[in-house]
Amino acid sequence: MIDQVNASRQLNRSTAVGALSRIVSLDGVWLTLAAVLLYWWRLGMLPLRDWDEGTIAAVARSMAVSGDWIYPTLYGDAYLNKPPLVEWLMATGYLGGVSEWTSRLLPALVSALAIPLLYWVGREVFQQRRPALLSAGVFLTLLPVVRHGRLAMRDGVAVTLFLLLLLWGLKARKRPAYALGVGVCLGLIALTKGILVILLGVIALVFFAIQFFAIQTVGLGRQSASHWLLRNPYLWLGLGLGSLPVLLWYGAQLLRYGNVYWQGHFVSQSFERVTSAIEDHQQQPWYYLLEMLKYGFPWLMFWPGGVCLAWRQRNRPWGQLVLVGTAIYLGAISLMGTKLPWYIMPLYPFVALAIGAYLHHAWEKSPRWAIGLLALISVVALGGGVYLGVADQQPTLIAIGIVLGMSAGWTGLQLWRRRARWCLTLMAGLYLTLLLLMGSDFWLWELNEAYAVKPVAAMVKQHVPPEAEVVTTFSYGRPSLNFYCDRNIPTLSGQPLLDRWQDNLYVLAEVHHLDTLPPYHEIGRTDDMVLVQPMIQ
């Protein structure tokens, strides 16, 4: 009889574990589908953006055309800026033709996988389903994460690889072979963002070291603790496997270019970005906090509470990960000399985990202090969306304002009535808002900072022979214009342009600069730029 009871209990336990495993698997599937839909939705609708998109796409196209994937080039010159993993992804996409869609296709897909990966990392550190789901939902609906993840850039890919590294490291506590993936991911990060691997590697090392000492403290025994981290042989095997392609690729560059590569890649594009501001990208230490304030709402209002909760639960893995990741990464990028908006991307997984933990903690407590902020967001979204939509005759802006405003307002009403699951309303509303935004012309608002490049590129390709030289009087070079023209168009104005006026070159001039030029032939024009050729005296 006792044996039958024990067998029944064991069967029930096995059934429950199996059901839980199926639920977790379904969570990952739905999160992946939701992320891929959001990241791929009308992805190729807008032109490539300056700066990184245009540059990386040109390097990848050169790889696809020449077949040389080892020595990247940019319009015939050696490309020394970054390692080539993202270019390899894009060049693979170009097997289906060169377009905005194929440029962003594979980087966006890899970036989208960060959403289910954050959920699985949350399952490991929370040991609960709900806070992991909430964290993934927050990460899915953070505007900066979605925007930069959709671009043909490196940062979203690096975040995905870092989360995969954390997941494998966490799973190695029970299955040591998973540590193999930690070293492989470090190598892939090095091939994606170069020097960033040092910072992310330090975060992982500190977090795993805390976990290691925690295992020893609770007395699980030396044998259990030895199966992972620095004592795990799979970790060292993975480091060897991950380092091999990195060493081979960097070795090939150094053998071909020598000190030029060392100075151009390691010194100019890596170390100097840390110690000084290059290309006038100098900002105050609190720059990234302001970036979060601008683009992180409404979720950001729960971030301070999540960080405080992480401090109170710093003896738990999730609290340790949030505190270690936030302190090291935010501190490092805040002190860097060069500051660019997308450098903040690897911080957002820690932000999402902190907010997800807070939402789980406040699931049924209904933080009524948030009602006023949500009401303000609702009014601003409704009023601003309708006003801008009517003024610019853009129905999409009206729809975005209405969906966002109603979502925030309904969430505030649920908080007022002390309804549980209030945050799911906000999450669903933000997802629909982002779908509308990503399907519009507004998600890549940087395109409005200068003239439209595709009409200008079409004019250049129509009228200028491939071997001719083209310069522009515009104030800075446009990598996106270079990509669509398939040639480098440098800036040249003032006296240097006048000194070369008798040369056989073509000039892309702004309309308001025409009066300052010597005699010329007008060849073609768009709304913003005029293509001219000097009139030879």
Side-chain angles (χ1 to χ4, degrees):
M1 184 65 179
I2 295 177
D3 292 340
Q4 291 179 346
V5 172
N6 291 334
S8 177
R9 289 176 178 174
Q10 185 66 32
L11 179 61
N12 291 336
R13 189 179 298 111
S14 300
T15 304
V17 171
L20 181 60
S21 299
R22 287 191 293 274
I23 290 173
V24 171
S25 299
L26 287 176
D27 288 342
V29 170
W30 287 114
L31 285 170
T32 302
L33 292 176
V36 171
L37 173 61
L38 184 57
Y39 280 59
W40 275 2
W41 176 241
R42 306 195 72 185
L43 186 61
M45 184 180 62
L46 294 181
L48 299 183
R49 187 185 78 168
D50 298 324
W51 294 81
D52 286 26
E53 273 203 308
T55 301
I56 296 173
V59 175
R61 181 175 58 191
S62 174
M63 287 181 177
V65 171
S66 68
D68 185 355
W69 291 37
I70 304 300
Y71 301 102
T73 59
L74 183 62
Y75 305 113
D77 296 326
Y79 180 67
L80 310 178
N81 194 334
K82 291 289 190 296
L85 183 61
V86 171
E87 283 86 347
W88 290 342
L89 287 174
M90 293 172 63
T92 303
Y94 287 160
L95 297 176
V98 178
S99 66
E100 292 89 354
W101 165 250
T102 54
S103 296
R104 295 171 177 148
L105 175 65
L106 292 181
L109 175 61
V110 176
S111 300
L113 296 179
I115 308 304
L117 281 172
L118 184 72
Y119 167 71
W120 287 318
V121 169
R123 289 286 306 185
E124 294 291 327
V125 296
F126 288 115
Q127 292 296 305
Q128 291 178 280
R129 176 172 175 253
R130 189 168 70 190
L133 268 177
L134 292 173
S135 299
V138 170
F139 197 52
L140 174 65
T141 52
L142 277 169
L143 173 61
V145 175
V146 178
R147 242 177 47 93
H148 285 108
R150 285 166 56 94
L151 295 175
M153 293 177 63
R154 310 176 195 280
D155 303 88
V157 175
V159 170
T160 296
L161 292 172
F162 179 57
L163 288 173
L164 186 58
L165 181 156
L166 290 176
L167 178 62
W168 276 340
L170 288 164
K171 284 186 171 295
R173 293 175 299 180
K174 297 179 179 179
R175 296 184 179 180
Y178 276 106
L180 188 73
V182 174
V184 172
C185 284
L186 284 171
L188 293 175
I189 294 171
L191 284 174
T192 303
K193 287 279 287 185
I195 196 173
L196 179 67
V197 71
I198 298 176
L199 181 55
L200 298 184
V202 168
I203 293 173
L205 178 62
V206 172
F207 172 64
F208 291 144
I210 292 173
Q211 296 291 293
F212 174 75
F213 289 116
I215 288 177
Q216 289 188 322
T217 301
V218 298
L220 292 182
R222 181 172 298 180
Q223 184 176 2
S224 297
S226 66
H227 280 303
W228 66 297
L229 201 62
L230 298 181
R231 297 180 182 178
N232 190 329
Y234 289 102
L235 173 66
W236 296 102
L237 178 59
L239 287 172
L241 293 174
S243 300
L244 183 60
V246 178
L247 294 175
L248 289 175
W249 188 81
Y250 275 110
Q253 310 311 304
L254 290 169
L255 284 175
R256 169 170 286 200
Y257 303 116
N259 189 58
V260 173
Y261 188 80
W262 175 263
Q263 293 294 326
H265 179 85
F266 291 103
V267 177
S268 176
Q269 293 297 329
S270 296
F271 300 128
E272 288 186 0
R273 286 177 180 258
V274 176
T275 59
S276 60
I278 66 170
E279 300 173 357
D280 297 324
H281 296 301
Q282 183 176 5
Q283 300 290 344
Q284 297 298 327
W286 52 84
Y287 169 75
Y288 291 109
L289 292 176
L290 296 179
E291 283 292 302
M292 293 174 67
L293 283 172
K294 285 192 295 184
Y295 303 116
F297 272 94
W299 290 129
L300 194 65
M301 71 175 75
F302 305 111
W303 181 52
V307 173
C308 292
L309 185 61
W311 176 255
R312 292 198 299 270
Q313 299 188 15
R314 58 189 179 275
N315 60 324
R316 299 185 58 188
W318 81 266
Q320 294 160 358
L321 180 57
V322 167
L323 294 175
V324 167
T326 302
I328 295 178
Y329 193 81
L330 182 58
I333 62 174
S334 297
L335 296 176
M336 280 179 60
T338 301
K339 293 182 174 63
L340 291 167
W342 46 90
Y343 286 0
I344 198 176
M345 283 284 287
L347 178 66
Y348 282 114
F350 309 119
V351 172
L353 287 169
I355 295 173
Y358 181 85
L359 296 178
H360 170 67
H361 181 71
W363 183 257
E364 295 182 357
K365 294 184 179 180
S366 301
R368 298 172 71 82
W369 57 264
I371 295 174
L373 288 174
L374 288 169
L376 178 62
I377 293 172
S378 178
V379 171
V380 171
L382 286 169
V386 172
Y387 173 78
L388 293 175
V390 172
D392 297 337
Q393 296 183 346
Q394 295 287 351
T396 304
L397 282 178
I398 299 176
I400 291 172
I402 290 174
V403 172
L404 178 58
M406 292 184 63
S407 301
W410 184 249
T411 303
L413 183 61
Q414 287 182 308
L415 284 175
W416 178 262
R417 294 177 175 176
R418 299 185 183 276
R419 299 284 177 83
R421 304 183 181 184
W422 51 272
C423 54
L424 298 183
T425 301
L426 184 59
M427 201 171 289
L430 290 175
Y431 184 80
L432 292 176
T433 301
L434 288 174
L435 273 179
L436 288 170
L437 178 62
M438 300 307 152
S440 72
D441 294 339
F442 306 112
W443 72 274
L444 208 52
W445 52 76
E446 292 89 348
L447 295 178
N448 297 322
E449 295 175 354
Y451 61 87
V453 296
K454 294 189 76 172
V456 177
M459 177 176 64
V460 171
K461 296 186 78 170
Q462 178 182 356
H463 297 291
V464 180
E467 68 279 0
E469 182 181 3
V470 185
V471 299
T472 179
T473 63
F474 197 68
S475 56
Y476 57 86
R478 301 287 305 276
S480 59
L481 175 66
N482 297 341
F483 173 78
Y484 288 111
C485 291
D486 198 11
R487 67 171 78 215
N488 184 38
I489 301 180
T491 60
L492 192 66
S493 60
Q495 190 59 44
L497 176 61
L498 298 179
D499 292 340
R500 295 200 56 197
W501 196 252
Q502 298 302 315
D503 295 347
N504 185 25
L505 51 76
Y506 291 80
V507 180
L508 273 174
E510 296 163 278
V511 174
H512 62 271
H513 279 171
L514 293 176
D515 294 339
T516 65
L517 298 179
Y520 60 83
H521 294 292
E522 181 176 324
I523 300 174
R525 73 167 55 206
T526 65
D527 292 339
D528 303 291
M529 303 294 287
V530 181
L531 180 64
V532 303
Q533 193 170 26
M535 185 179 295
I536 307 299
Q537 299 293 329

